[in-house]
Amino acid sequence: MIAAKHDHPTNAQKFTDNEPRAHWHDQAIWFVRSKRDKAAWTLPEWELLRERASQIKTHMLSNLAGYLEQFEAEATQRGAVVHWAKDAAEHNEIVLSLLQKHGVKKVVKSKSMLTEECHLNPFLERHGLEVVDTDLGEWIVQLLHEPPSHIVMPAIHIKREEVGELFHEHLGTEKGATDPPYLVNAARVELRQKFLGAEAGITGVNFAIAETGGFVVCTNEGNCDLGVSLPKLHIACMGMEKIIPRAADLSVFLRLLARSATGQPITTYSSHFHGPMEGGELHIVIVDNGRSKILGTPEFRRSLHCIRCGACMNTCPVYRRSGGHSYETTVPGPIGSILAPSRDPAQHSTLPFACSLCGSCSDVCPVKIDLHLQLLTWRKQIAALGLLPFDKRWGMWFAGKLFSHPRLYEFMGKVGRKLWPWLPRFMVYNGLNKWGKQRELPPMPKKSFRELYAERQRQKKS
């Protein structure tokens, strides 16, 4: 069965058709970006930390096999059991077999983008297990039967009025309630019962330390700690790029992660795990799922530096105005527009073009990934693979001819100024350009620039 091709422009059009919501989403995301800037400015050594983090990741990827083996040996020595999964299907089967082996029927999860990537929740539910995401944002989108729209703020696209209606339907809260403390308290009461009844806890991994065999999970709600402290079975799922060499390296990333993600100095909880609890079991599932393929491509291997902070999404003008669901991939935004085509270029061929090439994503990335350059490289590869639609191929061919012939370019400029002064506005505001509504051009002047300039000079002389 061939998967349907994802079409970001069409999806984005649906989002931007609701102009008030698109504007609200843009402002909400930009507010988080502004907090990131203020947090970064408080550290004089911010750029040094970014450079150091990039160097650590580069070194790690160049020695990945050795560090993975070292992590497995150290984790095993501490009592954990390490499993290896080549893809999402194998990951899901490993997790299911562990749960079935222990007779588990109720599972609580803390936020894990890897399990979202592997579609673990629906897989387990098809096998009769109850799976509850305990991160509040994740739980909200789970109740709505939607995927997250952001990797750090999964429910950022949902207004509190909608959350109030959702909780009224599922939790019996007062109809029309929108007070955040009231709604959060109602969620806390409901989730507490899920924690108490859980038979296993599943977490992601933010950083796995090769030197110690331990790993760290960063949260703001403490749901990770509670979710794995009560059940005797803890399953941690991680992509193989989450390895860092030494415990000393952890301080670099912890100082960067929260500031880049939400503008906090550090996440409220940085939970360290070194082996299972007394009388319990800890299983760590290390997943490839296309990462080795990316590692083998010199153009894109730096995308594996990503620490999933979401800073590139918060600054991206395309993401802010089109919403995370328009990308139809687990990780949206600039970094997702690199990772998704790396797995399936045909299915995600429109994503590298969901970018203005402004470079802001590269500027804010805490591990200095050259995101906009990789997106430009992907555009070239999409064209080389013959995956460009006809209208884009024709437009690029015409532009190439025009820009490669100076005399033709000069002639067209003169003709355009005389015959088509309205052309720039038409190119932005037309039915074929799905982004026209989001572009702001000044009104057309009644006089040409030269006439206005000459008039201003005359006024100065007089």
Side-chain angles (χ1 to χ4, degrees):
M1 180 178 178
I2 300 175
K5 179 180 176 179
H6 298 163
D7 186 0
H8 180 270
T10 301
N11 296 335
Q13 179 69 57
K14 295 175 184 176
F15 188 85
T16 57
D17 280 345
N18 187 338
E19 293 186 23
R21 178 179 287 274
H23 179 72
W24 167 80
H25 185 269
D26 178 23
Q27 295 301 307
I29 297 291
W30 184 253
F31 172 73
V32 181
R33 159 68 205 272
S34 300
K35 288 176 62 181
R36 174 263 175 205
D37 290 347
K38 293 176 183 177
W41 293 337
T42 62
L43 289 181
E45 67 273 25
W46 179 256
E47 290 303 320
L48 291 176
L49 286 171
R50 292 180 68 215
E51 183 61 34
R52 180 61 177 159
S54 178
Q55 292 172 354
I56 292 170
K57 283 288 189 176
T58 299
H59 169 76
M60 177 274 295
L61 290 176
S62 299
N63 301 274
L64 182 57
Y67 283 127
L68 286 171
E69 292 175 356
Q70 183 184 2
F71 175 78
E72 179 185 29
E74 294 294 336
T76 302
Q77 188 174 351
R78 291 179 177 273
V81 180
V82 178
H83 308 262
W84 302 87
K86 65 181 180 181
D87 54 26
E90 189 170 355
H91 162 269
N92 292 346
E93 289 293 344
I94 290 171
V95 174
L96 177 63
S97 65
L98 290 171
L99 296 174
Q100 290 178 335
K101 177 182 176 182
H102 291 79
V104 172
K105 292 296 182 182
K106 296 182 178 181
V107 179
V108 289
K109 283 176 66 254
S110 68
K111 185 161 59 180
S112 165
M113 295 316 297
L114 177 71
T115 59
E116 290 287 345
E117 175 188 322
C118 297
H119 305 292
L120 179 65
N121 282 19
F123 176 81
L124 295 180
E125 289 167 352
R126 288 196 299 269
H127 287 82
L129 280 76
E130 177 188 291
V131 185
V132 177
D133 279 300
T134 57
D135 174 88
L136 181 57
E138 288 276 354
W139 189 50
I140 289 171
V141 296
Q142 185 181 28
L143 292 177
L144 287 170
H145 304 289
E146 293 181 0
S149 67
H150 191 286
I151 61 176
V152 175
M153 303 169 288
I156 190 64
H157 62 291
I158 303 169
K159 295 187 175 183
R160 63 182 181 179
E161 292 81 5
E162 296 167 312
V163 176
E165 289 301 313
L166 180 71
F167 282 11
H168 173 69
E169 177 185 350
H170 290 272
L171 308 183
T173 56
E174 297 177 10
K175 186 172 180 58
T178 60
D179 183 47
Y182 171 74
L183 297 175
V184 169
N185 187 61
R188 182 182 291 117
V189 171
E190 179 69 18
L191 287 174
R192 185 59 58 93
Q193 300 306 311
K194 301 297 184 182
F195 283 123
L196 293 173
E199 299 162 313
I202 298 176
T203 70
V205 172
N206 287 98
F207 306 103
I209 307 163
E211 180 183 53
T212 66
F215 61 90
V216 178
V217 182
C218 302
T219 66
N220 279 323
E221 301 171 21
N223 54 308
C224 170
D225 292 15
L226 192 56
V228 300
S229 297
L230 298 177
K232 294 296 183 181
L233 177 61
H234 176 187
I235 303 174
C237 307
M238 59 173 276
M240 65 183 193
E241 81 283 6
K242 294 294 185 179
I243 291 283
I244 59 175
R246 305 172 303 157
D249 299 327
L250 186 61
S251 62
V252 176
F253 292 98
L254 289 181
R255 298 180 77 192
L256 290 166
L257 176 61
R259 286 180 170 88
S260 298
T262 57
Q264 300 169 251
I266 194 169
T267 50
T268 308
Y269 299 88
S270 298
S271 307
H272 297 245
F273 298 93
H274 295 85
M277 69 167 70
E278 185 176 351
E281 293 184 21
L282 171 59
H283 294 263
I284 305 170
V285 187
I286 302 177
V287 184
D288 185 331
N289 201 35
R291 288 161 174 80
S292 293
K293 179 182 175 183
I294 299 174
L295 184 63
T297 55
E299 304 93 339
F300 305 117
R301 64 180 295 163
R302 285 173 60 88
S303 63
L304 294 177
H305 287 199
C306 180
I307 59 174
R308 301 296 192 267
C309 67
C312 61
M313 301 167 204
N314 299 340
T315 198
C316 177
V318 177
Y319 172 87
R320 296 198 321 267
R321 291 168 173 83
S322 63
H325 290 159
S326 63
Y327 292 78
E328 292 190 274
T329 183
T330 304
V331 180
I335 185 64
S337 298
I338 296 168
L339 297 174
S342 298
R343 295 195 179 94
D344 191 336
Q347 191 175 15
H348 300 286
S349 61
T350 62
L351 292 188
F353 297 90
C355 172
S356 66
L357 295 179
C358 65
S360 183
C361 50
S362 301
D363 290 341
V364 301
C365 177
V367 287
K368 304 190 77 168
I369 303 173
D370 51 345
L371 292 158
H372 69 294
L373 295 179
Q374 293 191 32
L375 287 166
L376 180 60
T377 303
W378 255 121
R379 292 185 182 187
K380 297 175 183 177
Q381 295 207 8
I382 293 294
L385 292 169
L387 297 174
L388 283 179
F390 173 77
D391 58 343
K392 196 175 290 290
R393 290 201 308 271
W394 180 87
M396 294 177 73
W397 175 86
F398 178 78
K401 292 293 184 183
L402 181 65
F403 294 141
S404 61
H405 293 80
R407 290 185 179 179
L408 177 62
Y409 179 81
E410 183 180 2
F411 171 76
M412 291 297 292
K414 291 179 179 179
V415 171
R417 285 195 298 271
K418 293 291 184 181
L419 301 181
W420 306 308
W422 44 264
L423 185 60
R425 177 168 292 274
F426 172 77
M427 291 177 67
V428 174
Y429 296 105
N430 67 78
L432 297 177
N433 184 7
K434 297 179 186 296
W435 294 101
K437 292 183 179 180
Q438 297 299 319
R439 296 293 185 263
E440 298 176 3
L441 286 179
M444 289 181 61
K446 296 180 180 179
K447 299 179 180 179
S448 69
F449 175 78
R450 289 186 178 182
E451 291 172 330
L452 290 172
Y453 179 78
E455 185 177 307
R456 183 170 297 180
Q457 292 301 313
R458 287 195 299 271
Q459 291 174 353
K460 286 182 179 180
K461 290 180 180 179
S462 62

